Amino acid sequence: MKRRKFMKVSCGVTASSILQSVVAGSRADTRVTAKVYEYFDSGLMNDNTPDPAKVNESMVQRAVDSLVMHMTRKSTRGEAWQALFPGIVKSSKIAIKVNALKDKNSPQLATLKAIINGFNDMFNGTYGVSESKVFLIDNNLSISGSSSTNHVDSAFGSVNLDLLNVWHGIDSYNGPSVSVAGTTLYVSSKFAEADYGINFLVPRRHQYYAGNLSGFIKNMMGAVSKNRSTYDALRSGNGSFHDNNNYQAYIDIFNNFFKENTHLYIGDMILIPRNEGANYFDKIENRLVMGTDPCAMDSYAVDILKKYYSVSKK
């Protein structure tokens, strides 16, 4: 996972918003490039308080729509979302892996709503989001196996998710086995069931990584487990895949499964928490980012976080 370098390649500006794409190239091989798309608008928040209740839902919808249409060069959001999922049909299933550890350390409900509204517009409004086709998942089985915590319900509210008509139940790990740093892990059942995958999170510093990662790469560790029925990313003798500086583990989970099964990365940077363990939002950034390359997305998010916190890159 090499650090990326960036340069602005296009920019559209209105009175208060900026929509731009950025080219990311590997330092080792500048022929390898990936675009990161971002939307900035001070109107994404209704005031200067870092409070999720102050998020401007209509402006967030505009931002998400603009990003997917800019990425695909399509004129409607329904066409744009279809283009992001090559070969999609009406019966196709979509899994969204969200990092929903805490209700104030998770993506905004307004952003999730905007994504689901876009799905519903696919196939001229006939895709029909349902619990059998769109899955919202996180590592919502307790590590001990004693009691289950539904993180996505805690973050977004079960009533809100029912209204969106998405699946948000308790997951298991009956998907394919993957070799991760010499250990066999199992993929989330719902992620493996889906035809298309989305990585959706709030980029922030991870306390175990001294800011080396913003979360785009690490988030997928919550979609694998050592056990089929309970979430477990621990390993004896060498700490944890989930918590330690084990970059080989992240290389392996992408190379062995998630690279080809994750089709879009979405970073909700409207509000930013201090780190993964924080239970409140610390900064207002008024920014959403999207792309298809996890290294480029992670590196670009770290560049943004450097404005506020001491971070470095790997």
Side-chain angles (χ1 to χ4, degrees):
M1 294 183 185
K2 301 178 176 63
R3 180 174 176 172
R4 306 284 176 152
K5 62 181 180 180
F6 301 89
M7 64 181 178
K8 188 184 302 182
V9 295
S10 66
C11 181
V13 183
T14 67
S16 61
S17 64
I18 298 176
L19 174 65
Q20 66 182 29
S21 56
V22 176
V23 168
S26 164
R27 286 188 180 277
D29 184 354
T30 56
R31 296 171 298 174
V32 179
T33 61
K35 285 185 178 179
V36 173
Y37 298 82
E38 67 170 18
Y39 188 102
F40 171 84
D41 193 325
S42 58
L44 294 176
M45 292 292 295
N46 286 321
D47 66 18
N48 294 321
T49 305
D51 180 355
K54 305 295 185 180
V55 173
N56 187 323
E57 191 169 306
S58 64
M59 294 299 291
V60 173
Q61 184 71 67
R62 173 186 170 184
V64 171
D65 294 348
S66 297
L67 280 166
V68 295
M69 289 189 290
H70 186 64
M71 287 179 71
T72 60
R73 302 300 183 189
K74 299 295 184 181
S75 59
T76 69
R77 69 186 184 195
E79 291 176 315
W81 280 107
Q82 276 185 245
L84 287 170
F85 303 128
I88 190 171
V89 296
K90 288 185 183 181
S91 60
S92 293
K93 300 175 182 181
I94 305 169
I96 304 173
K97 170 59 177 78
V98 64
N99 195 313
L101 182 62
K102 301 176 185 294
D103 60 350
K104 292 191 176 179
N105 203 332
S106 304
Q108 302 305 315
L109 177 61
T111 311
L112 178 61
K113 286 181 177 179
I115 294 167
I116 300 303
N117 287 339
F119 290 177
N120 274 319
D121 275 8
M122 292 192 294
F123 299 100
N124 295 315
T126 64
Y127 173 72
V129 169
S130 69
E131 292 186 17
S132 65
K133 293 202 290 189
V134 178
F135 316 136
L136 192 67
I137 65 169
D138 196 13
N139 55 336
N140 50 14
L141 290 171
S142 66
I143 291 177
S144 66
S146 56
S147 61
S148 297
T149 299
N150 193 320
H151 290 153
V152 293
D153 279 2
S154 299
F156 298 108
S158 60
V159 173
N160 293 325
L161 297 178
D162 285 342
L163 291 172
L164 292 177
N165 211 22
V166 298
W167 185 93
H168 54 101
I170 297 296
D171 202 359
S172 61
Y173 295 84
N174 291 314
S177 62
V178 293
S179 177
V180 177
T183 296
T184 298
L185 301 182
Y186 305 101
V187 175
S188 149
S189 300
K190 301 306 285 189
F191 202 96
E193 180 183 345
D195 302 292
Y196 302 93
I198 294 177
N199 183 338
F200 178 40
L201 71 150
V202 175
R204 67 283 185 114
R205 297 184 304 171
H206 192 291
Q207 63 267 39
Y208 299 106
Y209 288 82
N212 292 332
L213 298 176
S214 69
F216 282 104
I217 295 169
K218 177 193 168 295
N219 188 33
M220 302 316 290
M221 187 57 73
V224 292
S225 174
K226 283 178 62 179
N227 298 319
R228 290 289 194 183
S229 59
T230 53
Y231 178 71
D232 183 358
L234 303 178
R235 63 177 183 176
S236 60
N238 193 19
S240 161
F241 293 114
H242 188 277
D243 295 347
N244 282 357
N245 295 335
N246 188 352
Y247 296 102
Q248 186 61 46
Y250 297 100
I251 294 171
D252 285 350
I253 61 172
F254 276 90
N255 283 344
N256 297 339
F257 184 82
F258 289 104
K259 179 171 64 176
E260 63 186 36
N261 292 286
T262 307
H263 300 81
L264 183 65
Y265 298 82
I266 303 175
D268 187 333
M269 303 188 81
I270 300 172
L271 297 173
I272 299 174
R274 181 168 292 275
N275 56 40
E276 188 181 43
N279 59 3
Y280 62 92
F281 287 104
D282 186 49
K283 303 291 183 183
I284 297 175
E285 179 58 26
N286 285 315
R287 193 181 306 269
L288 291 169
V289 292
M290 291 188 186
T292 58
D293 183 310
C295 291
M297 294 291 289
D298 204 281
S299 186
Y300 193 56
V302 169
D303 282 342
I304 294 172
L305 294 173
K306 284 170 65 177
K307 295 192 304 183
Y308 306 114
Y309 311 113
S310 174
V311 296
S312 59
K313 291 184 180 179
K314 289 288 186 182

